[in-house]
Amino acid sequence: MSAFGGDWARYEDAIYAVYLETVAHAGLTLFGQPVKVRFNPTTKKKGYGFWHLISEAPAQDNRDEDDRTPDLARCERVRWVAWCIVHAESDGFSWWENQRGRETHVVIWAEAHDFAVVLAKRETEEGTRYCLLKTAYCLRGHTIRKFTKERDAFWAARKD
């Protein structure tokens, strides 16, 4: 941000360009399935998925997407999203699936950096499977403990 002299709009445009290049238009795949992003609805002419990567959700009692709060740590890590997806099965990364409502998510955790990427498993009406990028964020203490339990339970169940 300092390279932009405190000009948030210029910084936002720059990280959006990085997002488009490294994520949205990069042809990423996860486990052989294409990774897609949501563009609609847009905010300030930028895609919906972008805002979920660079901002935090509003308070539980206010789910208005326009009230998301930019998170500089997320902004600084936009390039990490593709890196995590590409290296999901590499040393230093964990991945597992979880259920959130009716959706099955794939969570990728760059453990040494306490950074996570979340994608939803989807299927088109024609039966084509893909992963929809939902969000990415830096982990804090309680989330790290939760992730460790969830990951370990997923892999223990798969061994049975």
Side-chain angles (χ1 to χ4, degrees):
M1 176 73 171
S2 61
F4 297 90
D7 184 339
W8 174 255
R10 275 188 46 225
Y11 182 61
E12 196 175 82
D13 288 344
I15 57 177
Y16 190 61
V18 169
Y19 163 77
L20 291 174
E21 177 187 341
T22 64
V23 179
H25 301 307
L28 296 171
T29 61
L30 179 65
F31 312 134
Q33 297 176 1
V35 172
K36 298 184 179 191
V37 300
R38 279 186 63 182
F39 282 98
N40 293 311
T42 61
T43 302
K44 294 191 259 181
K45 299 182 182 177
K46 293 176 178 64
Y48 180 88
F50 171 71
W51 298 110
H52 278 258
L53 292 184
I54 69 154
S55 61
E56 295 179 304
Q60 287 294 84
D61 58 339
N62 178 8
R63 295 313 244 171
D64 185 350
E65 290 296 323
D66 291 334
D67 290 337
R68 292 183 69 87
T69 306
D71 179 334
L72 288 178
R74 287 181 177 202
C75 293
E76 294 165 354
R77 291 165 176 79
V78 166
R79 289 184 191 278
W80 291 21
V81 174
W83 172 68
C84 288
I85 292 168
V86 168
H87 293 94
E89 295 184 279
S90 302
D91 287 344
F93 293 83
S94 293
W95 73 268
W96 65 95
E97 294 179 5
N98 66 27
Q99 288 296 129
R100 295 293 183 259
R102 292 184 289 185
E103 287 192 325
T104 300
H105 287 171
V106 176
V107 180
I108 304 167
W109 177 14
E111 293 182 35
H113 304 283
D114 290 328
F115 185 75
V117 175
V118 180
L119 304 102
K121 294 174 80 173
R122 296 285 175 89
E123 190 171 330
T124 66
E125 289 181 14
E126 297 80 28
T128 305
R129 295 179 182 196
Y130 65 97
C131 294
L132 179 67
L133 179 62
K134 298 289 280 191
T135 193
Y137 52 92
C138 303
L139 305 181
R140 312 253 188 293
H142 70 284
T143 308
I144 293 169
R145 289 186 295 278
K146 176 184 157 206
F147 270 29
T148 301
K149 268 177 86 170
E150 194 174 86
R151 176 204 59 205
D152 294 350
F154 173 80
W155 287 106
R158 297 232 357 196
K159 288 180 183 175
D160 293 340

